[in-house]
């Protein structure tokens, strides 16, 4: 009987790609098969996120549950960004954890598996570790890392500490990965990096200086590749050339993530984001001018230290002006080893909660208004998943989630769909052709 692996993946798409790589390594070298039931697993992995504090606290209670209920002899490993920043403290607090494997060390999974209490969290920039295994969770699309780490110094963010400096992956390797994904039958690739549009600024070895716009052009030459998505671009690096390529290249999906963080230029300065409210709005205007059909998503932090009512009103103002299609909003969470950890002008918890609720209610109102306008419109949908009740779901080019009545023969197919009813998170339609 094969050994069983249970893996829980938290956080961003980069973690999902890291998990795919670990699953592939464990299958290939150790004969593991994945399971959805941790109680029958021989190895339990948690691939953690450390961007906010709450998930870190939850990690230890979850580890306790795994320990109590796991199969006799099963190993537990903690991987990812919390592994990177807490290191051996994890084993001190939860001595039954077999190993700790940092976000930049996932290629060592089969090594640490055989060591007792191994803690591998060193950050290296060895290009031989950039090529991940081909295993993909979805047969319809594939994630590809295009850079690792982050060189920015956003004062709230722990990521540069857990994932290290920003290094671009050679374009030849990225194109090769994309080709493999397409050869396996998928039609969509999803490029990943903390600042994708800063691609090409620095490589680990000697490589041709290719910027993100040029990388997109090269990737779009791949025959049978139909859709290119990416996350996250940084508003600071959104130059005209990039926006124009985004608008004019038919293979690039027309949905842009523009992480605002705050609408107040003063708070943006305290966050060291490198742009102002005006610059952000100017880039949105340029994007809308070049590509009116593009949807825009964002990340907003409320109650950053020193955020006054007036500062918060600036975030509200940007939300009202831009009318984002999706907002990931968070209360500021102080993180260790960041500059803002030492800021003293903390916003009252109750004020923070009120601001978050206000922003989310406002966004829902905007969304209901926008969704109502989709009724009767037609979108080309790429079907990817079976939903309950005999539905098949997929995404439009501009990233709207759409379902139709149907079965698995639609999976991996493109269809023109007319929207017949509206929900807040998913639209329902019928197939035209
Ligand atoms: N490079 C990515 C950000 C990665 S972190 C980007 O620019 O989009 C993902 C999101 O988590 C951030 O955009 C931010 O909104 C949120 N975040 C990061 N640190 C945080 C903190 N300390 N408190 C609350 N939210 C945070
Ligand atoms: Fe974090 Fe800012 Fe980089 S949010 S990942 S330091 S761009």
């Amino acid at each position: 009987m094969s050994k069983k692996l249970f893996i829980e993946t938290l956080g961003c798409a980069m973690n999902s790609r890291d998990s795919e790589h670990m699953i592939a390594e464990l299958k290939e070298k150790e004969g593991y098969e994945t399971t959805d039931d941790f109680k029958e697993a021989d190895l339990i992995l948690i691939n953690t996120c450390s961007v906010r504090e709450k998930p870190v606290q939850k990690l230890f209670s979850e580890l306790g549950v795994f320990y109590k209920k796991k199969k006799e002899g099963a190993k537990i490993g903690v991987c990812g960004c919390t592994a990177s920043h807490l290191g051996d403290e994890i084993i001190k607090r939860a001595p039954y954890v077999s190993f700790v494997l940092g976000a930049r060390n996932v290629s060592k999974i089969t090594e640490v598996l055989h060591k007792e209490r191994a803690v591998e969290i060193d950050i290296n920039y060895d290009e031989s570790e950039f090529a991940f295994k081909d295993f993909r969770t979805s047969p319809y699309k594939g994630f590809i890392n295009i850079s690792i780490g982050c060189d920015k110094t956003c004062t709230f963010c722990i990521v540069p500490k857990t994932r290290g400096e920003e290094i671009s992956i050679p374009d030849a390797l990225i194109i090769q990965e994309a080709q493999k994904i397409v050869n396996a039958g998928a039609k969509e690739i999803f490029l990943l990096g903390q600042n994708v549009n800063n691609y090409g600024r620095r490589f680990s070895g000697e490589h041709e200086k290719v910027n993100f716009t040029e990388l997109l052009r090269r990737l779009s030459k791949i025959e049978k590749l139909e859709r290119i998505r990416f996350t996250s671009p940084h508003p600071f690096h959104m130059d005209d050339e990039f926006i124009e390529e985004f608008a004019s290249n038919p293979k690039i999906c027309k949905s842009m993530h523009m992480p605002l963080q705050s609408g107040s230029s003063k708070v943006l300065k305290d966050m060291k984001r490198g742009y102002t409210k005006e610059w952000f709005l100017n880039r949105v205007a340029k994007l809308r001018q070049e590509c009116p059909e593009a949807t825009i998503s964002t990340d907003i932090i409320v109650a950053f230290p020193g955020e006054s009512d007036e500062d918060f009103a600036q975030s509200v103002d940007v939300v009202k002006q831009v009318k984002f299609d999706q907002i990931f909003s968070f209360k500021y969470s102080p993180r260790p080893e960041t500059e803002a950890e030492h800021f003293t002008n903390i916003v009252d918890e109750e004020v923070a909660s009120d601001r978050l609720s206000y922003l989310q209610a406002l966004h829902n109102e905007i969304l209901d208004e926008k969704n109502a306008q989709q009724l009767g419109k037609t979108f080309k949908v790429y079907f990817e998943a079976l939903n309950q009740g005999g539905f098949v779901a997929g995404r439009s080019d501009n990233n709207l989630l759409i379902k139709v009545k149907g079965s698995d023969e639609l999976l991996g197919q493109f269809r023109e769909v007319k929207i017949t009813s509206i929900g807040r998170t998913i639209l329902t339609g019928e197939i035209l052709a």
Side-chain angles (χ1 to χ4, degrees):
M1 248 186 37
S2 64
K3 288 173 283 182
K4 295 234 156 56
L5 162 70
F6 173 86
I7 182 161
E8 180 181 356
T9 305
L10 307 165
C12 65
M14 266 190 176
N15 266 11
S16 301
R17 182 69 190 123
D18 289 346
S19 286
E20 287 179 341
H21 181 53
M22 289 194 283
I23 293 169
E25 285 277 307
L26 288 163
K27 272 188 177 186
E28 207 170 281
K29 299 187 181 149
E30 302 283 336
Y32 276 91
E33 290 298 328
T34 50
T35 171
D36 293 333
D37 179 6
F38 80 86
K39 294 191 197 102
E40 65 164 26
D42 302 281
L43 174 62
I44 298 174
L45 294 181
I46 312 185
N47 196 1
T48 59
C49 171
S50 60
V51 158
R52 282 168 294 276
E53 193 183 6
K54 247 201 207 133
V56 178
Q57 290 167 342
K58 259 177 50 191
L59 168 69
F60 287 97
S61 55
E62 200 174 13
L63 280 173
V65 174
F66 285 151
Y67 177 57
K68 256 193 222 135
K69 301 199 175 155
K70 74 182 176 66
K71 191 166 107 178
E72 177 83 43
K75 286 187 175 187
I76 301 177
V78 177
C79 317
C81 285
T82 304
S84 301
H85 100 94
L86 289 182
D88 53 9
E89 203 188 312
I90 295 176
I91 295 186
K92 280 191 198 130
R93 280 178 69 178
Y96 47 82
V97 166
S98 300
F99 58 85
V100 173
L101 188 64
R104 291 294 322 286
N105 313 83
V106 289
S107 293
K108 294 208 167 76
I109 181 68
T110 55
E111 275 175 44
V112 289
L113 188 63
H114 299 293
K115 292 183 192 158
E116 262 313 291
R117 310 269 175 271
V119 178
E120 284 281 351
I121 53 170
D122 285 350
I123 294 182
N124 72 57
Y125 300 95
D126 182 352
E127 287 197 338
S128 69
E129 290 189 16
F130 290 178
F132 272 15
K133 284 272 148 61
D134 292 334
F135 173 78
R136 314 266 164 190
T137 320
S138 167
Y140 312 115
K141 66 170 173 228
F143 289 128
I144 306 176
N145 289 327
I146 69 162
S147 63
I148 55 171
C150 182
D151 273 356
K152 297 270 185 285
T153 53
C154 301
T155 54
F156 53 81
C157 186
I158 195 172
V159 173
K161 290 286 174 325
T162 63
R163 288 191 176 264
E165 291 167 39
E166 184 173 314
I167 304 284
S168 299
I169 292 174
D171 76 313
L173 191 57
I174 297 168
I175 293 167
Q176 194 184 319
E177 289 235 343
Q179 189 65 63
K180 279 194 211 159
I181 291 168
V182 173
N183 290 350
K187 297 177 182 115
E188 181 176 312
I189 57 169
F190 209 124
L191 309 175
L192 303 177
Q194 296 301 340
N195 294 300
V196 285
N197 51 343
N198 195 31
Y199 176 82
R201 210 180 62 88
R202 187 148 53 99
F203 293 92
S204 193
E206 280 297 313
H207 295 284
E208 184 194 355
K209 291 267 176 208
V210 175
N211 70 13
F212 188 54
T213 308
E214 179 56 24
L215 177 69
L216 289 171
R217 286 186 191 129
R218 291 184 183 185
L219 282 166
S220 54
K221 291 203 183 107
I222 295 176
E223 234 183 286
K224 293 196 178 142
L225 171 64
E226 302 209 28
R227 285 186 169 185
I228 303 175
R229 296 189 191 277
F230 51 81
T231 201
S232 293
H234 194 293
F236 176 75
H237 298 291
M238 286 193 178
D239 55 28
D240 286 356
E241 188 201 19
F242 164 65
I243 294 178
E244 283 157 16
E245 179 66 22
F246 173 87
S248 62
N249 185 330
K251 290 195 178 180
I252 300 177
C253 289
K254 304 302 180 243
S255 73
M256 188 80 93
H257 188 61
M258 293 183 67
L260 169 68
Q261 313 301 0
S262 169
S264 153
S265 294
K266 178 198 161 279
V267 173
L268 286 169
K269 195 159 178 235
D270 293 345
M271 288 175 162
K272 295 205 176 147
R273 285 291 290 176
Y275 54 87
T276 58
K277 175 188 181 185
E278 288 68 32
W279 169 258
F280 187 90
L281 290 173
N282 171 290
R283 294 297 82 193
V284 170
K286 171 76 180 166
L287 177 64
R288 291 245 158 99
Q289 177 199 326
E290 298 291 330
C291 189
E293 75 273 28
T295 53
I296 306 178
S297 56
T298 196
D299 293 346
I300 297 178
I301 297 176
V302 301
F304 184 75
E307 185 189 73
S308 65
D309 287 342
E310 173 49 30
D311 292 320
F312 176 63
Q314 299 297 320
S315 295
V316 169
D317 183 48
V318 175
V319 170
K320 283 184 176 161
Q321 286 197 51
V322 177
K323 296 192 193 307
F324 294 103
D325 296 271
Q326 197 174 16
I327 301 185
F328 302 92
S329 48
F330 317 96
K331 266 191 258 181
Y332 167 69
S333 167
R335 307 306 298 126
E337 295 180 73
T338 60
E339 226 183 301
E341 180 199 13
H342 308 290
F343 292 1
T344 50
N345 39 1
I346 301 298
V347 176
D348 188 73
E349 174 62 30
E350 213 173 302
V351 173
S353 296
D354 286 351
R355 286 181 187 168
L356 188 66
S357 312
Y358 182 86
L359 200 70
Q360 290 175 344
L362 172 66
H363 171 62
N364 284 339
E365 237 175 76
I366 292 171
L367 208 55
D368 289 346
E369 222 175 86
K370 291 187 85 151
N371 279 341
Q373 292 165 9
Q374 311 294 10
L375 208 60
K377 282 194 186 155
T378 301
F379 296 97
K380 188 174 178 186
V381 178
Y382 182 42
F383 288 102
E384 292 172 59
L386 292 175
N387 273 24
Q388 280 178 336
F391 285 95
V392 190
R395 291 194 178 265
S396 64
D397 178 288
N398 62 356
N399 209 29
L400 300 173
L401 189 58
I402 297 172
K403 64 176 180 178
V404 298
K405 278 276 182 199
S407 61
D408 51 7
E409 65 225 32
L410 278 175
L411 293 174
Q413 304 290 319
F414 287 92
R415 290 285 187 280
E416 292 291 329
V417 174
K418 187 175 172 185
I419 304 304
T420 53
S421 79
I422 303 296
R424 192 171 279 158
T425 51
I426 192 161
L427 310 174
T428 308
E430 56 193 34
I431 292 176
L432 290 181

